[in-house]
Amino acid sequence: MHQRTRRLGFIGAILFLAVTTGLLAASGAGAQTASESSFAGKRFKIVVGAAAGGGNDIYGRILARHLPTHIPGKPTIIIVNMQGASSISATNYMANIAPKDGSELLEIVQALPLVQAFGQENINFDLAAFHWVGNMTDSPVVYVTWRDSPVKDVESARKTEIVFGSTSPNSLFSMMPLVMNKTLGTRFKVVNGYDSGKAIELATERGEVGGFGGSTWSSLAIDEPEWISQKKINILAQAGLRKAKELADVPLLTELQVRDEDRAVLKFYSGVVAFARAFALGPDVPADRVAVWRRAFDDTMKDKAFLAEATAMKLDINPVGGEALQKIVADTVHADRELIARAQAALGN
């Protein structure tokens, strides 16, 4: 009797274990399938807060081609250009209108964190509340004049006034030359109104303006490779956290001789290179979706096919991951108010 009871108990335990294991396996398979079904067959968007054909657009499109390989279910990703007000229009859309399911990714222009820090009135978002996925490059911003210009370096820019083209007062094309005027004594006269960086480049080649300061070196290499190969331009200076390898002899702004308080301002502006090609999900996107996008971004940045295409296109790839970028964004938009005030004053505001 006791042996039979023990035997039945043993069989029951085995059956219980088998059923439990089966349920757990089914649960795991269901979770995996659910994850894939959340993305499979779907059409996702990268909302580029800049015009088609420019540097932001080009980086966004190569990411859209390779990112799906690393997302469960391999969804299709399309590009939607939403140009306007230094990405403010696109970012307002992402914060207040876009779906919160992680189906849309935003790419901003570099100046946007500065614009928020300075308290632009039509901003209805906080970039620190976005979920940052990563930045594809920290290529420095360059100051450019045409080859026959009398302004060939920072010293000559202190002596001769020259007109620089810009899109709007909220763009780096406007901010960076004005900051140099205030901290380094240059004499750039900024003219706003061009609709894109490409339009400014064309105006420079035609002689309508003397140059510009606000394009990344990587964008210039894509847009105007013959300018570089045929030495049609002068590179006066570069702003960033590192020098472009091709510009080893061109000074960073933070290397130039200035007062300590001005150096802090130049460092603050130079930090915008962390957003050269930065991507984010909007606020309130679930954490599991954020994790999927961040992992896919990191994997794409190491993908051999992606890197081969980027090399063929002469794209600079030096990525910053989402978690690190999250802190950089918060530190910029919520920086010390005294430093922000000094940085804003450098624009003449």
Side-chain angles (χ1 to χ4, degrees), residues 34-216:
S35 176
E36 290 178 357
S37 67
S38 298
F39 296 97
K42 301 293 178 65
R43 189 173 76 165
F44 288 179
K45 298 177 183 178
I46 294 179
V47 178
V48 178
N56 286 85
D57 184 64
I58 290 169
Y59 272 84
R61 289 180 188 276
I62 188 174
L63 186 66
R65 287 194 291 274
H66 292 272
L67 197 60
T69 304
H70 303 283
I71 297 176
K74 297 181 173 57
T76 300
I77 299 179
I78 65 168
I79 296 293
V80 176
N81 294 92
M82 198 175 292
Q83 183 182 6
S86 298
S87 291
I88 291 175
S89 300
T91 311
N92 277 334
Y93 161 79
M94 288 292 293
N96 302 291
I97 300 172
K100 307 300 182 186
D101 58 0
S103 62
E104 299 192 15
L105 189 68
L106 171 70
E107 182 186 9
I108 64 167
V109 300
Q110 281 179 290
L112 189 59
L114 296 178
V115 174
Q116 179 184 329
F118 295 155
Q120 181 81 16
E121 290 183 0
N122 56 343
I123 284 179
N124 297 310
F125 56 79
D126 179 5
L127 290 175
F130 279 63
H131 301 285
W132 291 88
V133 170
N135 178 50
M136 293 176 71
T137 180
D138 59 354
S139 179
V141 169
V142 290
Y143 296 78
V144 174
T145 60
W146 202 245
R147 61 185 170 192
D148 57 0
S149 170
V151 177
K152 299 182 184 301
D153 51 29
V154 174
E155 186 58 37
S156 55
R158 292 186 175 110
K159 299 173 182 176
T160 304
E161 182 178 273
I162 185 170
V163 174
F164 267 19
S166 171
T167 51
S168 74
N170 286 335
S171 73
L172 290 189
F173 287 106
S174 177
M175 291 184 186
M176 300 307 284
L178 294 177
V179 167
M180 278 192 71
N181 287 350
K182 183 70 172 181
T183 59
L184 292 160
T186 51
R187 300 178 62 190
F188 301 122
K189 181 180 179 181
V190 176
V191 175
N192 295 300
Y194 290 94
D195 62 7
S196 66
K198 187 69 177 177
I200 297 170
E201 291 165 7
L202 183 59
T204 300
E205 191 165 27
R206 289 174 172 172
E208 294 173 13
V209 296
F212 53 89
S215 178
T216 62

Side-chain angles (χ1 to χ4, degrees), residues 228-246:
I228 299 167
S229 62
Q230 298 176 26
K231 299 183 179 179
K232 291 184 175 182
I233 53 174
N234 308 303
I235 309 295
L236 314 185
Q238 52 187 322
L241 305 177
R242 66 177 176 100
K243 289 184 175 182
K245 61 183 179 181
E246 302 88 350

